[in-house]
Amino acid sequence: MSQILKPEPLTYERFLPFGDVIEARTDKAFGINQGYTDRFHHLASIQLDDEGSGIISLFRGRSRDYPLPITMLERHPLGSQAFMPLDNTPFLVVVAPPADTPDPQHIRAFISNGYQGVNYHRGVWHHPLLTGAPEQDFLVVDRSGAGNNCDEYYFLPEQIPLLVT
Amino acid sequence: MSQILKPEPLTYERFLPFGDVIEARTDKAFGINQGYTDRFHHLASIQLDDEGSGIISLFRGRSRDYPLPITMLERHPLGSQAFMPLDNTPFLVVVAPPADTPDPQHIRAFISNGYQGVNYHRGVWHHPLLTGAPEQDFLVVDRSGAGNNCDEYYFLPEQIPLLVT
């Protein structure tokens, strides 16, 4: 029988082994611009190897059918990758800790409240974008540069977890 | 009499002297994730000096009263700074080309359509955040590191332009 993955609410503490949660945390805030702006400072660090540079892109994702078999995960060994929803809509995140191959027993699933983004740290295994709407746009901050920056791992049939909503 | 600044619609071409427009341009798109995602690739580059690293923050801006006297501009000499609205609401951008001091005759004002963000290139003079709503959140990508990365310039009273909406 397949392992069932039920998304848990995304929090900073729970996501620490995988990366950063990008959200308006009051403990990170201070005023700038003569009081007209609150800056929630340095919520995520852009991680790069020596050959890479940081770039900004947009991703437009389309929804999948659930329950969703998690047949594969990917990782970016040379840089972090951040996703921020642009319409305040919840979305799903499936991750596994850095390792040569992702351990199916250590996969975690999270749901963003729609005002939270995530920054996957270098080497963290994660599922490609899982939208919370039929079509959903995200700002993405990741790496450009020489070298292979995407590994994919496909699970054996008996290892495939099932993501429920 | 004060110079009047009337915002013009933000376009990639018009903003070239100042930085990048972050928007879903079809000429930058390709499919990824087995067809479930369109990637609008490398819309902006994160510019950094050798001492800096890229960080992700959130800004929560509050609105100002208009017509708004543009009493000052600022610039970040060591890195780019990107702003992306998180609620699809238009906002205003006031810029001047890189120079030792901003030339009041070369100030330009733009309005984002709410689906467009901007990335100010290193050294581009710009006004602090001008929201299009009483309160508005933005994802911000800029630089952390040693050194002074913010210069401010205050105009002489007779140079101050008036931003109208």
Side-chain angles (χ1 to χ4, degrees), chain B residues 2-161:
Chain B
S2 292
Q3 176 192 355
I4 299 294
L5 283 175
K6 177 85 180 164
E8 51 189 313
L10 183 64
T11 68
Y12 167 75
E13 291 80 6
R14 287 174 181 162
F15 202 67
L16 275 176
F18 310 107
D20 310 297
V21 175
I22 302 165
E23 63 182 334
R25 288 170 53 195
T26 51
D27 62 318
K28 293 280 198 175
F30 53 85
I32 59 171
N33 298 343
Q34 299 85 43
Y36 283 102
T37 305
D38 297 328
R39 180 175 178 129
F40 301 88
H41 182 61
H42 202 151
L43 302 172
S45 296
I46 301 166
Q47 302 172 329
L48 298 169
D49 67 319
D50 290 341
E51 305 296 315
S53 61
I55 61 169
I56 299 174
S57 303
L58 294 176
F59 278 23
R60 177 165 293 163
R62 282 173 286 279
S63 56
R64 313 207 185 206
D65 294 326
Y66 292 86
L68 178 72
I70 300 297
T71 57
M72 59 83 71
L73 296 177
E74 64 181 35
R75 68 173 173 184
H76 306 302
L78 304 181
S80 56
Q81 187 177 46
F83 288 83
M84 189 73 196
L86 296 178
D87 58 359
N88 303 324
T89 300
F91 66 101
L92 297 174
V93 169
V94 174
V95 283
D100 287 345
T101 63
D103 181 344
Q105 298 306 312
H106 289 101
I107 295 179
R108 300 270 293 275
F110 297 98
I111 183 163
S112 152
N113 64 13
Y115 296 87
Q116 298 168 314
V118 293
N119 184 44
Y120 301 121
H121 285 176
R122 266 176 87 157
V124 166
W125 293 99
H126 58 275
H127 195 274
L129 187 59
L130 296 169
T131 69
E135 192 171 270
Q136 191 176 2
D137 284 358
F138 293 79
L139 191 86
V140 174
V141 181
D142 60 6
R143 174 195 178 274
S144 177
N148 168 44
N149 191 28
C150 192
D151 297 327
E152 296 183 338
Y153 182 83
Y154 286 82
F155 292 113
L156 297 171
E158 63 270 25
Q159 292 179 319
I160 294 173

